[in-house]
Amino acid sequence: MVGKRKKSLDSELDLVAFISLLSVCICFLLLTVVWVHVGAMKVHQAVGGQPSQDKDRLPILVADLKENGTLELRLQNAAQLKKYQKVKIPANEGKANFSELAKVLQGLKADLPSINTATLNPQAEAYYENIMDVMDFMKQQGFNNLGIAPL
Amino acid sequence: MLGNTKNLNQSSYVSCLDACSTLAPSGERRQKTPAASLMLTSLIDAFSILVIYLLVNMSNSEQVLKVDKSTELPSAQRIAELKKQTVVKVEGAKIYVGEKEVTSQALVGELLEARKKFAEEMTVEPSAFPAIVQADRRTQYRVLSEIVQALSHAGYAEINFAALKE
């Protein structure tokens, strides 16, 4: 009797179709991939005709941004907090001093937790990136209702 | 009746895998195959990781912004996903509403037209007409202020500033 044929222990799997499928997926995704994510920062702007009586009573932080990065903060509708009526934060190397701004905003939030509205008044020569940096920083500190005043 | 299967066993039509198998090679031991064997396991692993990475990075935003090569958008952390809205672009000294170049005097009129078209396209009346402002990070505020004012006059209460995710 001829010796028994040994049973093959290896199994075959045809991966060619799978590789083709993966190649097509990769080509499609490479063509449609987004390498840089662009988003948008929401800013509110008052439109004529909107009732403003309720908003007048809410405390609002007004920030004047100068061209060199100096910030002047004024608190409106909160006369009891006199130390925030006028706060000046000098610039740091041509940009806003975010460490000092953080201290002021955190102190304000501690004294007045309900405040979340701020209006930014940039000067005409202020740069867009500085304005965006200040707005982004204020949003991070909890001022979600941001407005920007036109000249 | 096939009593002798020796010829069949010695057939040259054997699988490449079987021939290269070290456990139970079929045909002649260590048969030399004309084709070189290729290990595809690592290639499939690499392809799978690439596909997963690209799928995760896919973006499904409704609005696509065309940014000029000379324009550098500012960056920010607290930004939201882009939604379909009117786009106002500043490139150098030129202002565009959508893809149409407009002058400062015609800006409000063009924005009102865009707002009308937006209201027609949207099936639901939007509570606040949104607009997105796209400008280079070195633009001075005097230029943007003009656009912000025009947007206010045209009834756009929600203004978004385009920025790169930090």
Side-chain angles (χ1 to χ4, degrees), chain A residues 23-37:
Chain A
S23 306
V24 169
C25 279
I26 283 171
C27 290
F28 170 75
L29 290 171
L30 276 173
L31 286 169
T32 57
V33 75
V34 173
W35 298 108
V36 176
H37 289 273

Side-chain angles (χ1 to χ4, degrees), chain B:
Chain B
M1 293 296 282
L2 287 167
N4 185 6
T5 58
K6 193 178 177 185
N7 289 334
L8 281 174
N9 288 341
Q10 287 178 347
S11 168
S12 61
Y13 294 104
V14 294
S15 160
C16 294
L17 197 63
D18 283 343
C20 295
S21 171
T22 54
L23 293 172
S26 65
E28 291 176 13
R29 186 172 278 276
R30 293 286 182 189
Q31 178 181 344
K32 285 182 186 171
T33 56
S37 61
L38 196 64
M39 287 295 291
L40 297 174
T41 314
S42 50
L43 179 70
I44 288 163
D45 287 339
F47 272 21
S48 304
I49 288 168
L50 261 175
V51 167
I52 291 166
Y53 172 76
L54 292 172
L55 276 170
V56 165
N57 268 347
M58 252 178 75
S59 170
N60 292 324
S61 61
E62 297 170 18
Q63 180 73 51
V64 174
L65 289 182
K66 291 178 190 174
V67 183
D68 191 52
K69 282 180 203 175
S70 58
T71 303
E72 285 179 34
L73 293 177
S75 54
Q77 288 182 21
R78 299 291 285 264
I79 56 175
E81 190 81 21
L82 287 175
K83 290 191 178 166
K84 191 160 173 62
Q85 52 201 298
T86 305
V87 179
V88 182
K89 211 166 31 173
V90 179
E91 278 176 15
K94 297 179 185 174
I95 301 172
Y96 296 84
V97 174
E99 296 297 320
K100 189 177 170 185
E101 189 181 340
V102 293
T103 57
S104 305
Q105 292 79 21
L107 184 57
V108 177
E110 196 58 42
L111 286 171
L112 284 166
E113 279 294 319
R115 184 184 151 176
K116 208 193 297 181
K117 280 184 197 167
F118 184 80
E120 283 165 14
E121 280 170 18
M122 298 295 283
T123 52
V124 179
E125 184 72 27
S127 55
F129 287 98
I132 187 160
V133 178
Q134 178 186 317
D136 186 81
R137 62 183 178 84
R138 294 155 291 202
T139 308
Q140 286 189 324
Y141 186 60
R142 64 174 78 252
V143 177
L144 295 173
S145 171
E146 196 183 319
I147 294 172
V148 167
Q149 270 185 322
L151 285 168
S152 294
H153 288 321
Y156 288 86
E158 190 182 306
I159 300 173
N160 298 297
F161 290 102
L164 296 175
K165 178 95 177 144
E166 240 179 37

Side-chain angles (χ1 to χ4, degrees), chain A residues 5-23:
Chain A
R5 186 189 170 91
K6 285 183 183 173
K7 210 171 174 182
S8 172
L9 298 173
D10 299 319
S11 59
E12 282 182 34
L13 193 65
D14 190 8
L15 294 173
V16 175
F18 188 53
I19 290 168
S20 303
L21 176 67
L22 284 179
S23 306

Side-chain angles (χ1 to χ4, degrees), chain A:
Chain A
M1 192 174 169
V2 179
K4 283 185 185 171
R5 186 189 170 91
K6 285 183 183 173
K7 210 171 174 182
S8 172
L9 298 173
D10 299 319
S11 59
E12 282 182 34
L13 193 65
D14 190 8
L15 294 173
V16 175
F18 188 53
I19 290 168
S20 303
L21 176 67
L22 284 179
S23 306
V24 169
C25 279
I26 283 171
C27 290
F28 170 75
L29 290 171
L30 276 173
L31 286 169
T32 57
V33 75
V34 173
W35 298 108
V36 176
H37 289 273
V38 179
M41 182 181 291
K42 198 199 289 190
V43 169
H44 293 283
Q45 186 67 23
V47 176
Q50 286 180 345
S52 59
Q53 293 86 347
D54 295 332
K55 290 181 185 179
D56 280 344
R57 300 205 181 111
L58 290 173
I60 298 172
L61 180 68
V62 178
D64 297 324
L65 178 64
K66 308 290 179 200
E67 181 201 348
N68 60 359
T70 302
L71 274 167
E72 286 181 6
L73 305 176
R74 290 176 279 123
L75 186 61
Q76 290 181 349
N77 306 326
Q80 68 276 17
L81 293 171
K82 292 191 189 308
K83 62 177 175 177
Y84 298 109
Q85 297 308 310
K86 193 166 186 179
V87 178
K88 188 173 178 178
I89 302 174
N92 181 19
E93 295 174 358
K95 294 199 170 186
N97 190 337
F98 291 111
S99 53
E100 283 301 314
L101 180 61
K103 285 181 195 168
V104 172
L105 294 180
Q106 281 162 13
L108 178 59
K109 271 283 190 179
D111 292 334
L112 197 61
S114 61
I115 187 168
N116 66 350
T117 306
T119 301
L120 193 62
N121 279 337
Q123 255 186 353
E125 294 81 19
Y127 288 106
Y128 181 32
E129 62 174 338
N130 289 344
I131 298 168
M132 284 294 280
D133 288 341
V134 171
M135 287 201 294
D136 187 34
F137 191 79
M138 291 180 97
K139 279 200 175 242
Q140 288 172 39
Q141 297 300 316
F143 288 83
N144 297 315
N145 287 335
L146 269 183
I148 191 161
L151 294 171

